[in-house]
Amino acid sequence: MTSVKDAIKNFEAKYSTPEVPVVAVETEHVKLYGQMPPIAKMDNSLSSLKACKRLALSSNCIEKIAGLKGCEQLEILSLGRNQIKKLDGVEDVGETLQELWISYNLITSLKGAEKLQKLRVLYISQNLIAKLPELDPLKECKELQELLLVGNPIHVELTNAGDLREQVAGRVPWLKKLDGTPITEEERTAGAEKVG
C-alpha cells in the first residue's frame, strides 16, 4: 500500500517541472487519487497541506477519514470510490468544508454531517443509506444546496413509494437540487406536511 507521505511525494514529482517545482504544502489542489498501490489509511501527513483547498483522495482503499486537522483551508474533499463506512473525522474540517464528494463507499449513516456548517454540496450516491432517520443530520447543514443520493437503498425504496423528493425536501427545505434536478415549491410544501 502507498502511504499518504509517499503519495504526496508522487504528486510533487508528477506535477513538477525543472522550471517550476510543485510543493504540496503550498498547493491549493492536491491530487492523491488512484494511487498504485492504493492508499489504505489517511494519516497526519495530510495536516501539512495548509494551503490545500481541494484534496482528491478518490479511488484508493481508504476505510476511515482521518488526519485532516491541519487542513485549515480545505473547501472540497473528494473521497469517492474507497471503503469508507462513516463520516467520523470530517469534523476536523467542519468550519471550512463546502463540498464533500463521497460516492461509491460503504456509508450507512450521515451522522457527522451535522458538523459541516458550510457544506453546500454532498455527493453521497451509491452508498448503503437505507433509512430516513439517517438523513436527519442534514437538518443542521443550513447551507446545503445540492444532494446526490441516487443508488442508496433509501433512494430505491422512496422512489418506488413515490415520495423521495418530498421526504428529502421536508427534512432539508433549503435544498435547491436533489440528484441533479431542482426541488420545486410543490415538493417543499408536500414535504413539510409529511415530515411535519
Side-chain angles (χ1 to χ4, degrees):
M1 294 290 170
T2 302
S3 69
V4 170
K5 187 175 181 178
D6 288 341
I8 290 171
K9 287 179 188 172
N10 294 343
F11 166 74
E12 291 173 335
K14 181 176 182 177
Y15 293 99
S16 287
T17 64
E19 299 81 34
V20 183
V22 171
V23 180
V25 298
E26 299 169 358
T27 304
E28 288 188 4
H29 186 180
V30 179
K31 303 172 187 176
L32 307 179
Y33 56 82
Q35 295 291 307
M36 285 298 169
I39 297 170
K41 184 179 177 185
M42 293 172 69
D43 62 36
N44 290 334
S45 300
L46 293 169
S47 67
S48 68
L49 305 176
K50 304 281 186 211
C52 183
K53 291 186 177 185
R54 183 173 177 180
L55 178 58
L57 284 158
S58 54
S59 299
N60 281 292
C61 289
I62 298 165
E63 293 182 7
K64 185 178 175 186
I65 300 169
L68 297 173
K69 255 193 175 65
C71 299
E72 300 154 354
Q73 306 293 318
L74 193 62
E75 296 175 356
I76 301 172
L77 178 58
S78 174
L79 287 166
R81 297 188 185 276
N82 278 290
Q83 303 294 315
I84 298 168
K85 296 178 179 116
K86 297 179 182 179
L87 294 182
D88 293 347
V90 294
E91 65 276 0
D92 290 339
V93 289
E95 293 180 15
T96 60
L97 196 68
Q98 297 175 23
E99 298 187 20
L100 179 57
W101 306 351
I102 197 158
S103 295
Y104 294 92
N105 275 284
L106 305 170
I107 295 169
T108 58
S109 170
L110 293 178
K111 186 178 178 200
E114 70 277 3
K115 296 175 181 153
L116 303 174
Q117 296 302 310
K118 292 189 177 180
L119 190 67
R120 293 184 301 108
V121 175
L122 177 59
Y123 296 150
I124 194 154
S125 66
Q126 305 297 332
N127 274 281
L128 302 174
I129 299 166
K131 298 187 183 337
L132 270 172
E134 301 305 337
L135 299 178
D136 287 347
L138 297 181
K139 293 177 182 177
E140 302 303 317
C141 298
K142 305 294 185 193
E143 301 293 320
L144 189 63
Q145 297 174 20
E146 188 173 346
L147 176 63
L148 191 62
L149 200 57
V150 69
N152 283 280
I154 191 170
H155 191 279
V156 175
E157 179 186 329
L158 292 178
T159 298
N160 290 342
D163 70 347
L164 168 76
R165 297 180 62 77
E166 294 169 358
Q167 288 287 351
V168 173
R171 283 171 169 70
V172 192
W174 49 86
L175 193 68
K176 290 185 171 54
K177 273 187 182 177
L178 175 62
D179 298 325
T181 305
I183 300 275
T184 65
E185 283 308 312
E186 293 81 21
E187 290 168 332
R188 276 186 231 293
T189 303
E193 290 172 8
K194 284 184 180 182
V195 175

